[in-house]
Amino acid sequence: MDCRVKPGALTKVVSLKPLVLIDFAEFPRRVGAVRTQIEAAARVAGRDPATVKLQPVTKNHPAEAAAFAARVGLDSVGENRVQEAAGKRAQCPEPVRWELIGHLQSNKAKLAVETFDRIQSVDSVKLAGLLDRAAGSLGKVLPVLLQINAGRDPAKFGAEPADAPALLEAALAAPHLRPEGLMTIAPLSDDPAVAVRTFENLRSIRDDLAARFGRPLPELSMGMSGDFPAAIAAGSTLVRIGTALYGARDA
Ligand SMILES: *Cc1c(COP(=O)(O)O)cnc(C)c1O
């Protein structure tokens, strides 16, 4: 594998204790098991399983986790910290797209635009402006998703649903951003109905915005290891899966 990680190097980049990844022999089996569940959920919802993409979430795992993904034909990975992803991307020449799924601080906007192929966590007009400027200075057009706090979770980032139209308006007006859809994270809850409501709400916010602005906004990034079947039932096109593929993170 090209980006085999030396534990010392990883500690420096990630500043977490290096975790032991599952064996590569196990990884394709886990991918197969998750894909089977994705297909089942899609069929129950009367959807074509090919319309739901699996995005492995490699945060807190060594760079090698992205190489695992590439080797089974998964073409993107999700990361939640800019510096961690920048270090891993430099170590891992495998052809995968790197996407930011975690909160982005203003002072890291430039490094984020340099590091990521898409940013799913655009949650304010101010951040959209900073990303647009950074993308412009790098001569690129950055695909983005707007993160919406569709579960109205006080513990989660994301724009309030009421602010979504203004946020989309700003992103559409930014010459170096390309808004492709919406992203959300369901609140942690023992009640599965909470996730269902959150995902249905995101879908309905998307449908309203698409109609109002005359843009399709096709990507609905929603669903994680614990709740992806419900997200698929509500229309998810991208499920972000960490634990079910790579095992537990202890951070
Ligand atoms: C960590 C994370 C995931 C993956 O979570 P799992 O429960 O490990 O599948 C998905 N989305 C976001 C935004 C995350 O931060």
Side-chain angles (χ1 to χ4, degrees):
M1 200 161 297
D2 281 330
C3 56
R4 188 147 283 161
V5 181
K6 293 177 230 72
L10 182 74
T11 328
K12 243 182 277 150
V13 170
V14 186
S15 70
L16 289 170
K17 61 181 148 146
L19 301 179
V20 181
L21 259 184
I22 56 166
D23 196 79
F24 183 71
E26 179 64 19
F27 186 69
R29 278 198 287 276
R30 294 205 181 176
V31 171
V34 170
R35 279 207 166 118
T36 300
Q37 289 175 272
I38 290 173
E39 281 161 20
R43 274 205 205 90
V44 167
R47 299 181 55 199
D48 175 359
T51 61
V52 184
K53 189 166 163 169
L54 170 59
Q55 179 167 81
V57 173
T58 48
K59 69 182 185 198
N60 297 2
H61 291 296
E64 218 178 5
F68 279 15
R71 282 177 50 173
V72 299
L74 295 165
D75 64 359
S76 71
V77 295
E79 284 278 338
N80 70 337
R81 289 203 186 90
V82 181
Q83 251 124 352
E84 179 181 334
K88 288 198 244 179
R89 189 167 192 163
Q91 290 178 309
C92 185
E94 252 80 7
V96 286
R97 291 164 43 82
W98 294 73
E99 302 200 11
L100 181 64
I101 59 175
H103 181 64
L104 178 56
Q105 291 165 329
S106 308
N107 62 346
K108 304 226 175 82
K110 182 123 193 289
L111 181 60
V113 174
E114 287 166 0
T115 302
F116 292 103
D117 299 293
R118 182 163 73 172
I119 292 180
Q120 299 193 16
S121 48
V122 178
D123 61 1
S124 72
V125 170
K126 180 186 165 207
L127 181 60
L130 290 169
L131 292 173
D132 181 48
R133 210 174 325 143
S137 75
L138 292 166
K140 72 187 226 182
V141 173
L142 179 74
V144 295
L145 302 182
L146 308 181
Q147 183 179 353
I148 308 298
N149 190 356
R152 297 204 170 72
D153 182 348
K156 288 284 187 311
F157 291 107
E160 288 309 305
D163 298 331
L167 180 55
L168 178 59
E169 192 169 16
L172 287 171
H176 301 101
L177 299 184
R178 190 170 73 222
E180 297 180 333
L182 307 182
M183 184 272 251
T184 201
I185 306 169
L188 268 181
S189 170
D190 293 332
D191 178 4
V194 170
V196 170
R197 274 201 303 274
T198 301
F199 299 142
E200 287 175 350
N201 193 28
L202 191 73
R203 161 84 184 253
S204 114
I205 292 167
R206 190 280 305 275
D207 292 350
D208 289 348
L209 291 173
R212 181 162 161 185
F213 288 86
R215 299 284 181 127
L217 300 172
E219 192 84 288
L220 276 182
S221 171
M222 54 189 194
M224 319 192 342
S225 294
D227 57 18
F228 69 88
I232 291 168
S236 173
T237 60
L238 185 77
V239 293
R240 310 175 306 263
I241 308 292
T243 310
L245 294 178
Y246 297 107
R249 301 171 294 269
D250 66 11

